[in-house]
Amino acid sequence: MSESAPRRRSRASAGLPPITAEKIIDAAVELTAERGLDGWSIRQIATKLDVWPGVVAHHVGDREAVVMAVTDQVIGRIPVPDPDVPWRDWFSSLTFDGRAVLKQYPGVARRLVVVGPNVPSALPTIDTGIKVLLLAGFGDHATEIYRYLLNSAFMLVAVEDDRDSFFPSARADMGRTMAAFAADPTRPGLAAAGAQAVARSEDAEAQDLAFFRLTVERSLDGAEALLKG
Amino acid sequence: MSESAPRRRSRASAGLPPITAEKIIDAAVELTAERGLDGWSIRQIATKLDVWPGVVAHHVGDREAVVMAVTDQVIGRIPVPDPDVPWRDWFSSLTFDGRAVLKQYPGVARRLVVVGPNVPSALPTIDTGIKVLLLAGFGDHATEIYRYLLNSAFMLVAVEDDRDSFFPSARADMGRTMAAFAADPTRPGLAAAGAQAVARSEDAEAQDLAFFRLTVERSLDGAEALLKG
DNA sequence: ACCTGAACACCGTTCAAGT
DNA sequence: ACCTGAACACCGTTCAAGT
């Protein structure tokens, strides 16, 4: 009974390459693509790399540090549009391309909006975007309008992520709830919404994209009103 | 040594009033005001009511059910503005009053935006709001513009909550990051933002409120552009 | 029906000990 | 310096047993 479990040899003595912060973050990015930013645990990253959980803390830091590193990686994949296009086109490109990237990594949009310029990879975009607004004549409002336009678009992606992840039945439930009011004359507002819910037959992603388009267009118009006023 | 721990008498045999779903939800609402919707555990609710954790599941359901009940309660406290005021005033009242309520219960704004009409207490507001937009002449766009205007305002409250809760240093960090670029001629966009960050001396809540006001005003203008177009 | 009390399968973090 | 291996203080959920 004196035989203890055979002690696993260390990675070094087994000839395995050492774990690095980069490998840990890559694994975390992969897991984020598969299950979202709130869908993995430190222990799952460790298992994936065949090390003990403490190793993650040793190389990267606590969970928050890993999440920030993933966020930085993903934001870096969003292309920065050419600064020479008109400001409306610049923001349309950024937000539509950005949405395409962010939807591959659920949960990152929420972080992008919250941490903003604290993520190094976001700085080139911010610099170019504000410059584009200055050239368009927004003057002192350029900074806050930049923030407004980015928020409008990417907060909506964050909401789409949330709906899919922690409340997958929300879309169907909402549709049913609204449709139930389609013929209720005592509640004209809900009846109007219900009638549209009944009529709508597109698939979910097409509806999301249409509302995203509306949101970006309305926000651009809202900014433009300031320019004219 | 044969004396086991004295078995606690049941609530009934001790003459205590029975636990109800209502009491559990009230406790959860209180904890949400103190620590936010993600700041409490089922076990903390149980401790607060002096019962075992399983009791919460028995009366209300799983954690998600408790969260939805809290969300419903809080949304019910947002006053519905008088439907006879002009549409812009109606939405200004709703979003400013709504923000005041939601900021007392961090984390609820996020849920409000995600679950929308699935929360019963939100239905009167939705009905009135869409009706107001129909009367203003938005026609077929009334439903989606309602959603757009509510999202714009309350998604921003959700972001404010997130910043305060899971990243309290974000505001200070951002200010410092931007200020560092104030005199960088190679990055004109960041320099402009940095100069403003340096100049700004208001307290945090005043800045948040100002940006909230801007967001609501821009979104209302964005909606109005559709009316004119 | 309601509640106790324990068990189960997870978490993130920390840290002494080994290599 | 890097990693093992375990310990610690938590989670949410489930459920047999008592009253």
Side-chain angles (χ1 to χ4, degrees), chain B residues 19-30:
Chain B
I19 297 292
T20 60
E22 203 193 348
K23 280 183 196 172
I24 291 169
I25 294 162
D26 286 350
V29 169
E30 265 183 60

Side-chain angles (χ1 to χ4, degrees), chain A residues 133-217:
Chain A
L133 291 175
L134 286 169
L135 288 171
F138 279 95
D140 286 347
H141 296 294
T143 304
E144 57 196 30
I145 292 296
Y146 173 85
R147 196 176 149 208
Y148 166 67
L149 291 173
L150 244 79
N151 270 3
S152 296
F154 294 144
M155 286 188 307
L156 183 55
V157 178
V159 172
E160 292 173 9
D161 289 349
D162 282 352
R163 230 214 290 83
D164 296 343
S165 84
F166 68 60
F167 196 13
S169 70
R171 212 192 305 256
D173 291 354
M174 270 175 55
R176 241 180 292 109
T177 305
M178 298 313 285
F181 292 107
D184 186 341
T186 69
R187 310 211 235 191
L190 290 171
Q196 290 201 346
V198 170
R200 199 174 302 275
S201 62
E202 309 156 271
D203 68 286
E205 168 54 18
Q207 286 183 41
D208 279 357
L209 189 61
F211 187 69
F212 183 79
R213 199 183 307 276
L214 176 142
T215 295
V216 172
E217 282 300 312

Side-chain angles (χ1 to χ4, degrees), chain B residues 7-8 11 18-19 51-52 55 59:
Chain B
R7 200 179 201 287
R8 205 133 108 302
R11 294 184 64 86
I19 297 292
V51 292
W52 291 81
V55 174
H59 286 282

